[in-house]
Amino acid sequence: MLDDIGGLGKLARHCYSRWCGANEFEVDHFLDKYVVDLDKKTCTCGMFQLNAYPCCHAYAAIADRRDPIEVYIADCYKKDMYLKCYSHMIHAVPGQKEWVQTG
Ligand SMILES: [Zn+2]
């Protein structure tokens, strides 16, 4: 069972995934049908490649393949990267009266 990251698991309950071979899956979601390629990290809904983390269709395919979901989430969403990004000092900013006047 995958972690229910961002409620994807709940949404994926309405998805039915079929393996098509290699890394491609056909996913039924209500009356629509989507193509997920797990190697390319794409879904024809566009959200997987746009957000850099799986959409509910990709989540269903990942669960079908029993892969760890962390593999499909971009590093920018991970705690290590967040801590690294904010590890440097953020300098204080003076008030507007202290700003240098320019032409
Ligand atoms: Zn999708």
XYZ file of all heavy atoms in Angstrom:
828
model
N 0.851 -1.196 0.000
C 0.000 0.000 0.000
C 0.884 1.242 0.000
O 1.800 1.368 0.789
C -0.899 -0.038 1.239
C -1.874 1.103 1.321
S -3.110 0.957 0.032
C -4.021 2.444 0.247
N 0.605 2.161 -0.917
C 1.365 3.405 -1.010
C 0.878 4.393 0.037
O -0.248 4.333 0.488
C 1.163 4.035 -2.388
C 1.704 3.285 -3.582
C 1.318 4.012 -4.853
C 3.196 3.141 -3.499
N 1.774 5.329 0.406
C 1.359 6.425 1.266
C 0.349 7.269 0.508
O 0.470 7.457 -0.698
C 2.559 7.297 1.634
C 3.524 6.558 2.542
O 3.069 5.641 3.251
O 4.711 6.895 2.525
N -0.643 7.795 1.225
C -1.662 8.629 0.593
C -1.191 10.072 0.580
O -1.647 10.903 1.348
C -2.989 8.495 1.330
C -4.104 9.178 0.579
O -3.891 9.598 -0.575
O -5.199 9.284 1.144
N -0.232 10.371 -0.288
C 0.362 11.695 -0.356
C -0.619 12.666 -1.006
O -1.048 12.469 -2.132
C 1.693 11.654 -1.129
C 2.678 10.780 -0.369
C 2.238 13.053 -1.373
C 3.971 10.510 -1.080
N -0.973 13.721 -0.274
C -1.849 14.767 -0.796
C -3.231 14.267 -1.203
O -3.884 14.883 -2.036
N -3.697 13.194 -0.618
C -5.020 12.673 -0.949
C -5.091 11.955 -2.283
O -6.177 11.648 -2.776
N -3.933 11.686 -2.882
C -3.926 11.005 -4.184
C -4.541 9.612 -4.104
O -5.195 9.156 -5.039
C -2.493 10.885 -4.718
C -1.881 12.144 -5.298
C -0.415 11.918 -5.633
C -2.643 12.566 -6.534
N -4.312 8.955 -2.990
C -4.843 7.595 -2.822
C -6.360 7.569 -2.917
O -6.947 6.680 -3.536
N -6.995 8.584 -2.294
C -8.467 8.660 -2.353
C -8.938 8.859 -3.783
O -9.893 8.222 -4.226
C -8.965 9.830 -1.496
C -9.355 9.445 -0.117
C -9.992 10.625 0.580
C -10.128 10.287 2.049
N -10.411 11.457 2.845
N -8.267 9.776 -4.504
C -8.645 10.032 -5.896
C -8.375 8.807 -6.768
O -9.142 8.501 -7.677
C -7.879 11.235 -6.450
C -8.242 12.594 -5.870
C -7.256 13.651 -6.343
C -9.655 12.974 -6.284
N -7.283 8.120 -6.475
C -6.896 6.965 -7.284
C -7.835 5.782 -7.108
O -7.845 4.873 -7.929
C -5.461 6.561 -6.960
N -8.666 5.815 -6.047
C -9.641 4.732 -5.857
C -10.632 4.668 -7.014
O -11.245 3.649 -7.253
C -10.426 4.942 -4.557
C -9.640 4.628 -3.345
C -10.510 4.757 -2.119
N -9.689 4.985 -0.963
C -10.077 5.602 0.132
N -11.302 6.058 0.227
N -9.262 5.760 1.125
N -10.785 5.795 -7.700
C -11.710 5.833 -8.829
C -11.007 5.545 -10.152
O -11.602 5.699 -11.210
C -12.390 7.199 -8.903
C -13.112 7.552 -7.648
N -14.295 6.958 -7.281
C -12.794 8.410 -6.646
C -14.683 7.442 -6.121
N -13.791 8.323 -5.713
N -9.733 5.149 -10.081
C -8.956 4.863 -11.286
C -8.749 3.355 -11.421
O -8.492 2.674 -10.435
C -7.589 5.537 -11.217
S -7.667 7.331 -11.183
N -8.849 2.895 -12.636
C -8.579 1.494 -12.913
C -7.413 1.439 -13.894
O -7.506 1.926 -15.010
C -9.819 0.809 -13.501
C -9.567 -0.634 -13.845
C -9.467 -1.604 -12.848
C -9.394 -1.028 -15.165
C -9.203 -2.920 -13.164
C -9.134 -2.349 -15.490
C -9.042 -3.288 -14.485
O -8.778 -4.583 -14.793
N -6.293 0.864 -13.450
C -5.060 0.851 -14.230
C -4.856 -0.490 -14.933
O -5.076 -1.544 -14.340
C -3.897 1.128 -13.264
O -2.676 0.892 -13.882
N -4.455 -0.411 -16.184
C -4.115 -1.617 -16.954
C -2.716 -1.449 -17.522
O -2.426 -0.448 -18.192
C -5.091 -1.831 -18.115
C -6.378 -2.475 -17.722
C -7.259 -2.722 -18.928
N -7.573 -1.501 -19.644
C -8.524 -0.653 -19.288
N -9.260 -0.885 -18.233
N -8.752 0.431 -20.007
N -1.844 -2.419 -17.254
C -0.487 -2.392 -17.763
C -0.524 -2.708 -19.256
O -1.143 -3.694 -19.681
C 0.350 -3.426 -17.005
C 1.765 -3.512 -17.431
C 2.695 -2.526 -17.350
C 2.424 -4.645 -17.990
N 3.899 -2.978 -17.820
C 3.766 -4.281 -18.225
C 2.022 -5.932 -18.316
C 4.700 -5.146 -18.769
C 2.953 -6.804 -18.847
C 4.274 -6.403 -19.076
N 0.149 -1.899 -20.077
C 0.142 -2.092 -21.531
C 1.457 -2.683 -22.030
O 1.595 -2.982 -23.209
C -0.085 -0.751 -22.230
S -1.645 -0.004 -21.791
N 2.425 -2.812 -21.157
C 3.746 -3.288 -21.538
C 4.772 -2.228 -21.212
O 4.451 -1.039 -21.150
N 5.998 -2.682 -20.978
C 7.098 -1.779 -20.591
C 6.655 -0.892 -19.431
O 6.275 -1.397 -18.390
C 7.605 -0.979 -21.780
N 6.659 0.423 -19.634
C 6.330 1.355 -18.540
C 5.031 2.104 -18.784
O 4.767 3.119 -18.152
C 7.470 2.360 -18.388
C 8.769 1.632 -18.161
O 8.927 0.946 -17.157
N 9.672 1.729 -19.115
N 4.235 1.611 -19.727
C 3.018 2.317 -20.111
C 1.771 1.667 -19.505
O 1.642 0.447 -19.490
C 2.913 2.329 -21.634
C 1.936 3.357 -22.153
C 2.040 3.496 -23.654
O 3.068 4.017 -24.131
O 1.100 3.063 -24.339
N 0.866 2.536 -19.012
C -0.388 2.091 -18.413
C -1.545 2.875 -19.020
O -1.395 4.052 -19.352
C -0.389 2.326 -16.902
C 0.580 1.455 -16.154
C 1.928 1.784 -16.100
C 0.152 0.309 -15.521
C 2.825 0.993 -15.414
C 1.047 -0.497 -14.837
C 2.393 -0.161 -14.781
N -2.667 2.194 -19.164
C -3.909 2.851 -19.571
C -4.764 2.928 -18.317
O -4.978 1.904 -17.656
C -4.585 2.008 -20.648
C -5.789 2.628 -21.270
C -6.348 1.714 -22.366
O -5.864 1.801 -23.496
O -7.247 0.918 -22.032
N -5.224 4.126 -17.979
C -5.951 4.311 -16.716
C -7.340 4.873 -17.000
O -7.473 5.961 -17.567
C -5.166 5.250 -15.770
C -5.919 5.445 -14.464
C -3.769 4.709 -15.509
N -8.355 4.142 -16.597
C -9.735 4.622 -16.680
C -10.039 5.427 -15.435
O -9.741 4.999 -14.314
C -10.725 3.452 -16.754
C -10.604 2.673 -18.049
O -10.037 3.217 -19.022
O -11.055 1.514 -18.081
N -10.602 6.618 -15.622
C -11.010 7.456 -14.499
C -12.404 7.963 -14.826
O -12.575 8.830 -15.667
C -10.008 8.606 -14.323
C -10.232 9.414 -13.084
N -9.733 10.667 -12.926
C -10.904 9.142 -11.938
C -10.073 11.142 -11.744
N -10.793 10.237 -11.130
N -13.388 7.407 -14.174
C -14.800 7.630 -14.495
C -14.997 7.364 -15.994
O -14.697 6.275 -16.444
C -15.249 9.029 -14.069
C -15.204 9.207 -12.573
C -14.232 9.989 -11.972
C -16.131 8.562 -11.757
C -14.186 10.141 -10.589
C -16.093 8.690 -10.367
C -15.122 9.487 -9.805
N -15.415 8.345 -16.776
C -15.682 8.087 -18.188
C -14.498 8.435 -19.087
O -14.572 8.284 -20.305
C -16.919 8.866 -18.643
C -18.209 8.489 -17.917
C -19.359 9.398 -18.361
C -18.578 7.029 -18.162
N -13.404 8.924 -18.491
C -12.220 9.307 -19.259
C -11.161 8.224 -19.204
O -11.194 7.342 -18.344
C -11.634 10.617 -18.725
C -12.561 11.796 -18.963
O -13.161 11.851 -20.061
O -12.704 12.623 -18.064
N -10.219 8.324 -20.120
C -9.131 7.357 -20.191
C -7.826 8.125 -20.396
O -7.763 9.047 -21.200
C -9.371 6.413 -21.371
C -8.450 5.228 -21.423
C -8.836 4.306 -22.567
C -10.095 3.533 -22.193
N -10.369 2.425 -23.106
N -6.784 7.749 -19.643
C -5.497 8.449 -19.689
C -4.376 7.451 -19.930
O -4.492 6.280 -19.555
C -5.247 9.195 -18.379
C -6.309 10.221 -18.085
C -7.428 9.882 -17.326
C -6.220 11.505 -18.591
C -8.430 10.813 -17.072
C -7.206 12.444 -18.345
C -8.310 12.087 -17.584
O -9.301 13.007 -17.345
N -3.291 7.924 -20.535
C -2.102 7.103 -20.764
C -0.995 7.623 -19.858
O -0.662 8.810 -19.882
C -1.658 7.149 -22.240
C -0.365 6.371 -22.431
C -2.760 6.601 -23.134
N -0.441 6.727 -19.054
C 0.631 7.075 -18.125
C 1.900 6.347 -18.544
O 1.874 5.149 -18.797
C 0.256 6.671 -16.673
C 1.435 6.878 -15.730
C -0.958 7.441 -16.196
N 2.993 7.102 -18.657
C 4.301 6.504 -18.903
C 5.159 6.782 -17.664
O 5.542 7.926 -17.420
C 4.946 7.098 -20.154
C 6.228 6.373 -20.538
O 7.047 6.098 -19.637
O 6.407 6.076 -21.733
N 5.440 5.756 -16.901
C 6.152 5.955 -15.635
C 7.623 6.291 -15.839
O 8.207 6.997 -15.019
C 5.991 4.726 -14.733
C 4.583 4.505 -14.194
C 4.531 3.246 -13.325
C 4.091 5.701 -13.406
N 8.246 5.808 -16.902
C 9.654 6.156 -17.153
C 9.803 7.622 -17.538
O 10.711 8.297 -17.076
C 10.243 5.283 -18.253
C 10.955 4.070 -17.679
O 10.841 3.844 -16.457
O 11.610 3.346 -18.449
N 8.899 8.103 -18.375
C 8.949 9.510 -18.803
C 8.291 10.433 -17.779
O 8.360 11.649 -17.908
C 8.239 9.674 -20.150
C 8.959 8.984 -21.295
C 8.188 9.165 -22.585
C 8.856 8.413 -23.725
N 7.982 8.338 -24.908
N 7.606 9.845 -16.793
C 6.869 10.593 -15.763
C 5.861 11.536 -16.422
O 5.838 12.749 -16.148
C 7.823 11.343 -14.831
C 8.743 10.397 -14.062
C 9.672 11.134 -13.145
C 10.576 10.129 -12.432
N 11.572 10.737 -11.584
N 5.042 10.949 -17.285
C 4.019 11.727 -17.982
C 2.647 11.060 -17.871
O 2.544 9.846 -17.695
C 4.346 11.882 -19.480
O 4.413 10.593 -20.079
C 5.643 12.633 -19.702
N 1.616 11.889 -17.971
C 0.232 11.418 -18.061
C -0.455 12.323 -19.068
O -0.145 13.522 -19.144
C -0.462 11.499 -16.704
S -2.208 11.029 -16.765
N -1.380 11.784 -19.830
C -2.038 12.608 -20.840
C -2.951 13.674 -20.229
O -3.380 14.592 -20.930
C -2.831 11.738 -21.838
O -3.673 10.847 -21.108
C -1.891 10.962 -22.740
N -3.209 13.629 -18.929
C -3.940 14.732 -18.282
C -3.028 15.946 -18.127
O -3.507 17.057 -17.946
C -4.518 14.310 -16.928
S -3.337 14.293 -15.564
N -1.711 15.736 -18.152
C -0.738 16.816 -18.098
C -0.265 17.205 -16.709
O 0.697 17.950 -16.560
N -0.946 16.736 -15.675
C -0.615 17.171 -14.318
C 0.672 16.549 -13.778
O 1.369 17.168 -12.977
C -1.784 16.863 -13.368
C -3.057 17.598 -13.721
S -2.848 19.381 -13.912
C -2.645 19.879 -12.223
N 0.978 15.326 -14.188
C 2.187 14.635 -13.717
C 3.425 15.426 -14.142
O 4.292 15.740 -13.316
C 2.205 13.215 -14.306
C 3.182 12.254 -13.673
C 3.939 12.586 -12.572
C 3.318 10.976 -14.195
C 4.829 11.676 -12.005
C 4.196 10.056 -13.639
C 4.953 10.408 -12.543
N 3.514 15.808 -15.402
C 4.677 16.546 -15.898
C 4.648 18.004 -15.446
O 5.695 18.615 -15.237
C 4.836 16.409 -17.420
C 3.636 16.698 -18.246
C 2.723 15.497 -18.443
O 2.506 14.691 -17.551
N 2.147 15.389 -19.633
N 3.468 18.576 -15.239
C 3.364 19.969 -14.812
C 3.805 20.153 -13.361
O 4.565 21.056 -13.035
C 1.927 20.470 -14.987
C 1.656 21.905 -14.570
C 2.332 22.870 -15.533
C 0.164 22.167 -14.540
N 3.330 19.283 -12.472
C 3.616 19.422 -11.042
C 4.884 18.714 -10.591
O 5.350 18.946 -9.477
C 2.444 18.875 -10.228
C 1.184 19.689 -10.437
O 1.247 20.887 -10.640
N 0.045 19.021 -10.402
N 5.405 17.816 -11.418
C 6.587 17.012 -11.064
C 6.320 16.085 -9.880
O 7.220 15.741 -9.139
C 7.810 17.887 -10.827
N 5.051 15.733 -9.686
C 4.693 14.633 -8.800
C 3.450 13.966 -9.399
O 2.734 14.571 -10.202
C 4.479 15.064 -7.341
C 3.369 16.025 -7.072
C 2.060 15.570 -6.902
C 3.616 17.383 -6.958
C 1.036 16.445 -6.644
C 2.603 18.269 -6.696
C 1.322 17.801 -6.536
O 0.306 18.672 -6.283
N 3.203 12.715 -9.042
C 2.162 11.956 -9.738
C 0.751 12.529 -9.580
O 0.376 13.013 -8.521
C 2.234 10.577 -9.081
C 3.573 10.516 -8.450
C 3.931 11.919 -8.069
N -0.028 12.463 -10.650
C -1.464 12.738 -10.591
C -2.129 11.445 -10.105
O -1.461 10.429 -9.920
C -1.980 13.130 -11.974
S -1.685 11.854 -13.227
N -3.439 11.469 -9.915
C -4.119 10.267 -9.413
C -4.020 9.115 -10.408
O -3.971 7.943 -10.007
C -5.563 10.568 -9.050
S -6.602 11.121 -10.406
N -3.932 9.417 -11.709
C -3.815 8.360 -12.725
C -2.461 7.670 -12.614
O -2.365 6.446 -12.661
C -4.003 8.950 -14.130
C -5.118 9.930 -14.199
N -4.925 11.262 -14.505
C -6.437 9.780 -13.941
C -6.084 11.898 -14.441
N -7.021 11.022 -14.105
N -1.404 8.481 -12.471
C -0.058 7.932 -12.305
C 0.037 7.165 -10.991
O 0.671 6.114 -10.918
C 0.977 9.043 -12.360
N -0.610 7.706 -9.947
C -0.611 7.047 -8.638
C -1.196 5.635 -8.771
O -0.650 4.676 -8.210
C -1.419 7.875 -7.646
C -1.392 7.372 -6.228
C -0.500 7.903 -5.302
C -2.269 6.385 -5.809
C -0.484 7.453 -3.994
C -2.258 5.919 -4.507
C -1.365 6.460 -3.601
O -1.355 6.008 -2.308
N -2.285 5.505 -9.525
C -2.907 4.192 -9.727
C -1.946 3.247 -10.451
O -1.840 2.064 -10.109
C -4.205 4.340 -10.515
N -1.214 3.771 -11.453
C -0.246 2.953 -12.188
C 0.924 2.553 -11.290
O 1.395 1.410 -11.334
C 0.256 3.715 -13.414
N 1.384 3.486 -10.466
C 2.497 3.217 -9.543
C 2.088 2.141 -8.540
O 2.853 1.224 -8.238
C 2.943 4.515 -8.832
C 3.566 5.478 -9.846
C 3.909 4.211 -7.704
C 3.702 6.908 -9.349
N 0.866 2.245 -8.029
C 0.359 1.242 -7.094
C 0.241 -0.115 -7.779
O 0.551 -1.154 -7.178
C -0.997 1.681 -6.540
N -0.180 -0.094 -9.047
C -0.307 -1.326 -9.822
C 1.057 -2.001 -9.968
O 1.164 -3.221 -9.881
C -0.891 -0.975 -11.197
C -1.452 -2.184 -11.919
O -1.593 -3.249 -11.295
O -1.745 -2.053 -13.121
N 2.086 -1.205 -10.157
C 3.439 -1.743 -10.334
C 4.151 -1.977 -8.999
O 5.234 -2.512 -8.965
C 4.252 -0.777 -11.203
C 5.460 -1.444 -11.814
C 5.895 -0.775 -13.056
N 6.813 0.321 -12.751
C 7.541 0.932 -13.678
N 7.456 0.567 -14.936
N 8.327 1.910 -13.364
N 3.519 -1.525 -7.920
C 4.064 -1.679 -6.558
C 5.440 -1.025 -6.407
O 6.328 -1.546 -5.750
C 4.117 -3.151 -6.153
C 2.757 -3.770 -6.004
C 2.825 -5.227 -5.614
N 1.540 -5.785 -5.269
C 0.613 -6.163 -6.127
N 0.831 -6.016 -7.418
N -0.526 -6.678 -5.714
N 5.592 0.131 -7.039
C 6.821 0.906 -6.892
C 6.669 1.860 -5.707
O 5.558 2.260 -5.375
C 7.071 1.759 -8.149
C 7.725 0.970 -9.258
O 8.152 -0.177 -9.008
O 7.813 1.508 -10.383
N 7.784 2.266 -5.099
C 7.695 3.312 -4.064
C 7.382 4.659 -4.718
O 7.991 5.005 -5.728
C 9.084 3.314 -3.422
C 9.979 2.661 -4.414
C 9.134 1.761 -5.273
N 6.425 5.391 -4.182
C 5.981 6.639 -4.819
C 7.061 7.717 -4.785
O 7.105 8.597 -5.643
C 4.663 7.141 -4.189
C 4.041 8.205 -5.105
C 4.879 7.664 -2.782
C 2.590 8.415 -4.930
N 7.974 7.659 -3.809
C 9.024 8.675 -3.676
C 9.881 8.788 -4.934
O 10.403 9.862 -5.244
C 9.933 8.362 -2.480
C 9.238 8.472 -1.138
C 8.401 7.246 -0.807
O 8.635 6.164 -1.392
O 7.488 7.369 0.014
N 10.012 7.696 -5.664
C 10.821 7.676 -6.891
C 10.254 8.645 -7.928
O 10.988 9.203 -8.732
C 10.859 6.235 -7.462
C 11.518 6.197 -8.823
C 11.556 5.299 -6.486
N 8.956 8.890 -7.884
C 8.268 9.680 -8.907
C 7.994 11.128 -8.484
O 7.329 11.862 -9.190
C 6.956 8.984 -9.299
C 7.217 7.613 -9.866
C 7.124 6.488 -9.064
C 7.609 7.456 -11.190
C 7.401 5.221 -9.571
C 7.885 6.210 -11.702
C 7.783 5.100 -10.886
O 8.070 3.859 -11.396
N 8.493 11.507 -7.324
C 8.291 12.865 -6.822
C 9.590 13.649 -6.983
O 10.657 13.170 -6.595
C 7.850 12.841 -5.339
C 6.502 12.121 -5.218
C 7.769 14.255 -4.772
C 6.047 11.899 -3.795
N 9.519 14.837 -7.556
C 10.721 15.658 -7.787
C 11.402 15.995 -6.465
O 10.744 16.141 -5.428
C 10.332 16.931 -8.528
N 12.715 16.131 -6.512
C 13.499 16.419 -5.313
C 13.076 17.713 -4.625
O 13.214 17.845 -3.417
C 14.987 16.499 -5.660
C 15.569 15.134 -5.962
O 14.956 14.113 -5.571
O 16.640 15.078 -6.602
N 12.561 18.682 -5.388
C 12.197 19.968 -4.800
C 11.078 19.848 -3.760
O 10.874 20.754 -2.959
C 11.807 20.980 -5.879
S 10.341 20.559 -6.806
N 10.338 18.749 -3.751
C 9.271 18.540 -2.768
C 9.745 17.777 -1.538
O 8.974 17.566 -0.611
C 8.109 17.757 -3.392
C 7.399 18.510 -4.472
C 7.494 18.096 -5.790
C 6.638 19.635 -4.176
C 6.838 18.786 -6.800
C 5.983 20.333 -5.171
C 6.083 19.901 -6.476
O 5.436 20.585 -7.468
N 11.004 17.368 -1.538
C 11.494 16.526 -0.442
C 12.124 17.365 0.661
O 12.696 18.421 0.423
C 12.474 15.496 -0.999
C 11.750 14.553 -1.962
C 12.652 13.547 -2.587
C 11.832 12.691 -3.560
N 12.648 11.851 -4.381
N 12.024 16.868 1.884
C 12.468 17.598 3.074
C 13.951 17.967 2.985
O 14.319 19.095 3.336
C 12.211 16.753 4.323
C 12.585 17.457 5.608
C 12.323 16.588 6.808
C 12.806 17.268 8.083
N 12.609 16.423 9.254
N 14.784 17.059 2.516
C 16.224 17.338 2.431
C 16.495 18.573 1.570
O 17.317 19.417 1.926
C 16.978 16.136 1.838
C 17.015 14.961 2.789
O 16.690 15.158 3.978
O 17.359 13.853 2.342
N 15.806 18.682 0.444
C 15.999 19.811 -0.452
C 15.464 21.100 0.176
O 16.072 22.163 0.047
C 15.316 19.542 -1.794
C 15.688 20.530 -2.855
S 17.452 20.572 -3.240
C 17.660 19.027 -4.102
N 14.355 21.010 0.887
C 13.776 22.166 1.578
C 14.757 22.698 2.617
O 15.023 23.905 2.686
C 12.454 21.757 2.239
C 11.788 22.859 3.009
C 10.951 23.764 2.383
C 12.000 22.998 4.379
C 10.336 24.785 3.086
C 11.394 24.009 5.100
C 10.567 24.895 4.449
O 9.967 25.898 5.154
N 15.315 21.802 3.414
C 16.262 22.207 4.452
C 17.524 22.805 3.828
O 18.071 23.780 4.337
C 16.608 21.014 5.349
C 15.455 20.503 6.215
C 15.869 19.242 6.949
C 14.983 21.574 7.187
N 17.980 22.223 2.726
C 19.166 22.731 2.042
C 18.898 24.143 1.491
O 19.733 25.033 1.588
C 19.540 21.783 0.903
C 20.843 22.112 0.222
C 21.155 21.059 -0.830
C 22.382 21.435 -1.625
N 22.632 20.476 -2.700
N 17.711 24.343 0.942
C 17.326 25.622 0.353
C 17.288 26.735 1.399
O 17.702 27.861 1.137
C 15.966 25.471 -0.315
S 15.426 26.904 -1.213
N 16.815 26.429 2.606
C 16.679 27.432 3.661
C 17.775 27.338 4.707
O 17.626 27.862 5.803
C 15.292 27.336 4.296
C 14.215 27.788 3.339
C 13.442 26.862 2.647
C 14.027 29.143 3.095
C 12.482 27.282 1.736
C 13.066 29.567 2.193
C 12.300 28.635 1.520
O 11.366 29.050 0.629
N 18.872 26.678 4.383
C 19.967 26.529 5.342
C 20.811 27.802 5.456
O 21.514 27.996 6.433
C 20.848 25.348 4.961
O 21.502 25.609 3.735
N 20.732 28.675 4.453
C 21.503 29.914 4.485
C 20.729 30.997 5.228
O 19.514 30.964 5.319
C 21.802 30.383 3.050
C 22.472 29.333 2.234
N 23.772 28.976 2.415
C 21.989 28.520 1.269
C 24.086 28.008 1.584
N 23.014 27.706 0.872
N 21.476 31.995 5.704
C 20.850 33.092 6.441
C 20.011 33.961 5.494
O 20.432 34.255 4.379
C 21.932 33.950 7.094
C 21.396 35.077 7.903
S 22.752 35.932 8.714
C 21.846 37.256 9.475
N 18.848 34.353 5.960
C 18.015 35.300 5.212
C 18.139 36.633 5.941
O 17.684 36.768 7.076
C 16.553 34.826 5.138
C 16.478 33.486 4.422
C 15.688 35.870 4.438
C 15.116 32.822 4.440
N 18.790 37.617 5.313
C 19.076 38.894 5.969
C 17.809 39.716 6.200
O 16.866 39.660 5.406
C 20.066 39.700 5.106
C 21.409 39.050 5.046
N 22.311 39.126 6.069
C 21.993 38.281 4.095
C 23.396 38.442 5.758
N 23.230 37.916 4.559
N 17.839 40.498 7.272
C 16.722 41.378 7.609
C 16.639 42.511 6.591
O 17.650 42.916 6.018
C 16.932 41.950 9.008
N 15.434 43.015 6.358
C 15.210 44.089 5.389
C 14.747 45.329 6.168
O 13.803 45.242 6.952
C 14.137 43.684 4.352
C 13.871 44.822 3.382
C 14.558 42.431 3.623
N 15.422 46.498 5.973
C 15.001 47.699 6.693
C 13.663 48.220 6.168
O 13.215 47.848 5.079
C 16.137 48.695 6.402
C 16.744 48.227 5.137
C 16.572 46.737 5.099
N 13.065 49.148 6.926
C 11.791 49.739 6.539
C 11.931 50.646 5.325
O 13.037 51.009 4.917
N 10.796 51.087 4.766
C 10.781 51.852 3.525
C 11.516 53.191 3.660
O 12.105 53.680 2.711
C 9.339 52.071 3.088
C 9.217 52.566 1.663
C 7.777 52.535 1.166
O 6.873 52.129 1.873
N 7.573 52.969 -0.052
N 11.522 53.815 4.868
C 12.213 55.099 5.060
C 13.711 54.948 4.870
O 14.396 55.907 4.599
C 11.897 55.651 6.452
C 10.491 56.174 6.561
C 10.264 57.100 7.745
C 10.451 56.413 9.051
N 10.074 57.214 10.214
N 14.240 53.772 5.049
C 15.673 53.509 4.935
C 16.099 53.209 3.506
O 17.278 53.083 3.226
C 16.057 52.308 5.826
C 15.680 52.464 7.273
C 16.489 53.542 7.986
O 17.677 53.676 7.684
O 15.897 54.266 8.820
N 15.151 53.074 2.610
C 15.491 52.703 1.243
C 16.199 53.861 0.551
O 15.916 55.034 0.791
C 14.250 52.339 0.437
C 13.568 51.068 0.906
C 13.949 50.265 1.945
C 12.374 50.500 0.376
N 13.076 49.234 2.095
C 12.089 49.350 1.142
C 11.522 50.839 -0.650
C 10.992 48.532 0.894
C 10.425 50.042 -0.907
C 10.174 48.894 -0.141
N 17.115 53.556 -0.360
C 17.846 54.563 -1.122
C 16.919 55.140 -2.203
O 16.248 54.392 -2.922
C 19.086 53.922 -1.789
C 19.822 54.940 -2.663
C 20.018 53.343 -0.730
N 16.865 56.537 -2.237
C 16.025 57.183 -3.244
C 16.723 57.109 -4.613
O 17.913 57.362 -4.715
C 15.793 58.653 -2.880
C 14.992 58.851 -1.602
C 13.547 58.430 -1.756
O 12.926 58.652 -2.796
N 12.995 57.818 -0.724
N 15.983 56.805 -5.619
C 16.529 56.763 -6.981
C 15.688 57.641 -7.877
O 14.553 57.979 -7.546
C 16.546 55.323 -7.538
O 15.214 54.850 -7.583
C 17.409 54.402 -6.697
N 16.234 58.019 -8.996
C 15.524 58.853 -9.960
C 14.543 58.016 -10.686
O 13.551 58.326 -11.208
Zn -3.084 12.100 -14.963
